Amino acid sequence: MTTTPQRTAKFPRKTLAAVTAVAALGGLHLWLNTNAFGDSTLCGGVVTADSAEAVLTGAGRISDRRGSRSGADDGKTQFDCVIERSAAALPGSDKQTLHIQGTSERGDFAYTGGRWPDASAVSFFPGGGAASGRAWVLLPAACTDRQAGLVEAYAPDSADAAKLVGLLTGAANRVSDRAGCAPPAPLAAPARIAPVMRQHPAVASGVCGLPGFTVPGVRMETVQVSDVSWSCGTATAEGEKAAYATFSVTQDPAVIEGIRKSQGFTGHGFDATHILSDCAGKATYFAMKPAPRYTESLGTGAPAPSDLFNAFTKEAGAKFGCPTP
């Protein structure tokens, strides 16, 4: 019996060419519009690509470049990096940017204003804080001297705060590892980030929820409370432009350590409205940040900054079980 030889199926050359072209286009799409085949770490190994993808959601490839602080990376705690996500072949897609840097500041930076968000608009957690499109995590105390070291980030306002803080916590651990100042146990990200509270009418006889604390002209307040910090932003009317002054208290050990290590700290504080007190054996920091409306009112009978601060610490001290600083 003869057997019929089996034939191998052959595809027309045009079909093979089409299949090859589709595969090539698919590969090109993965390369241009996803992070497939991309690096696993970014910013010199400080940030993982997975954590960056979690913050910069949507389609697009992740890439990184140096920030504007040329030469900022010292191979230890200082660096400046911009992470971008963009979809090259998807019409209408926007570029998303995450700016992350390792810096150092006076230990109470989060309560002094300047380039930092108002403390009453921040969700504080042990060793850090998060605001809309912004977050930071303090480095271990052993990592810097004369100022507190931190890793901070600017992200889209829509970014998930918990994921942004998770990225920064991981970055802080890698930075402390490479700088040789890591603590025995790595830093841990908080389980949740508390929502930022809304502005509401103030009670004239007890501004900021402090019985007996009165502030002339204040009509609105925003009180932000966490396990380690308390802040109250006051205003003469609704809205940010009416801001009067912000009052803050923190017992966060990481912040207190950064304050104590900072240049200019006298043992009791930095000046008349930024002081460190001992409250039943617990270090407690009090701060007041004046806003434009308060500064403008000084010429029309508003209390002097030291008087307003003393009135605040008297009532806040009672709230936290502290003697008057």
Side-chain angles (χ1 to χ4, degrees), residues 195-215:
V196 175
M197 303 305 293
R198 293 179 178 272
Q199 192 181 55
H200 60 267
V203 177
S205 60
V207 173
C208 297
L210 302 174
F213 183 43
T214 60
V215 185

Side-chain angles (χ1 to χ4, degrees), residues 40-304:
S40 60
T41 61
L42 305 162
C43 301
V46 170
V47 178
T48 66
D50 287 345
S51 64
E53 283 191 275
V55 174
L56 302 178
T57 57
R61 186 164 185 79
I62 297 284
S63 62
D64 65 337
R65 58 180 171 82
R66 289 185 178 182
S68 59
R69 291 162 55 216
S70 178
D73 197 333
D74 62 359
K76 294 182 180 180
T77 63
Q78 301 285 311
F79 67 94
D80 189 11
C81 180
V82 176
I83 300 172
E84 295 176 333
R85 185 166 202 168
S86 59
L90 297 179
S93 61
D94 295 325
K95 179 184 290 185
Q96 297 183 70
T97 301
L98 169 65
H99 186 189
I100 178 171
Q101 53 186 342
T103 60
S104 59
E105 296 277 359
R106 200 174 85 172
D108 62 341
F109 66 89
Y111 307 97
T112 58
R115 68 185 185 91
W116 301 96
D118 185 276
S120 64
V122 175
S123 294
F124 289 101
F125 52 86
S132 177
R134 182 82 179 271
W136 59 88
V137 170
L138 289 168
L139 294 177
C143 289
T144 55
D145 193 16
R146 299 172 66 85
Q147 286 189 317
L150 64 144
V151 179
E152 58 174 304
Y154 301 84
D157 288 345
S158 60
D160 183 278
K163 292 177 180 178
L164 181 59
V165 170
L167 178 150
L168 289 175
T169 303
N173 283 323
R174 292 180 187 87
V175 166
S176 61
D177 281 340
R178 79 176 187 176
C181 55
L187 301 176
R192 64 182 292 271
I193 305 295
V196 175
M197 303 305 293
R198 293 179 178 272
Q199 192 181 55
H200 60 267
V203 177
S205 60
V207 173
C208 297
L210 302 174
F213 183 43
T214 60
V215 185
V218 164
R219 299 289 181 268
M220 305 295 291
E221 64 184 30
T222 307
V223 181
Q224 192 71 25
V225 182
S226 74
D227 294 337
V228 291
S229 297
W230 174 97
S231 291
C232 176
T234 58
T236 57
E238 189 173 355
E240 294 181 4
K241 292 183 178 180
Y244 189 82
T246 299
F247 306 91
S248 301
V249 182
T250 185
Q251 295 178 325
D252 185 347
V255 174
I256 300 298
E257 184 65 19
I259 288 171
R260 285 176 168 153
K261 287 173 68 76
S262 293
Q263 185 178 16
F265 177 66
T266 65
H268 300 287
F270 297 102
D271 53 46
T273 58
H274 297 86
I275 65 170
L276 184 64
S277 180
D278 185 285
C279 300
K282 179 173 285 190
T284 306
Y285 183 72
F286 297 85
M288 183 181 84
K289 182 182 77 67
R293 284 292 176 91
Y294 173 63
T295 302
E296 293 167 2
S297 68
L298 285 174
T300 59

Side-chain angles (χ1 to χ4, degrees), residues 1-38:
M1 178 183 294
T2 59
T3 58
T4 304
Q6 296 185 359
R7 296 180 178 179
T8 302
K10 293 184 178 180
F11 294 97
R13 290 182 179 180
K14 290 184 178 180
T15 302
L16 287 173
V19 171
T20 301
V22 169
L25 289 173
L28 183 61
H29 167 73
L30 288 174
W31 176 259
L32 292 175
N33 301 313
T34 75
N35 213 44
F37 317 120

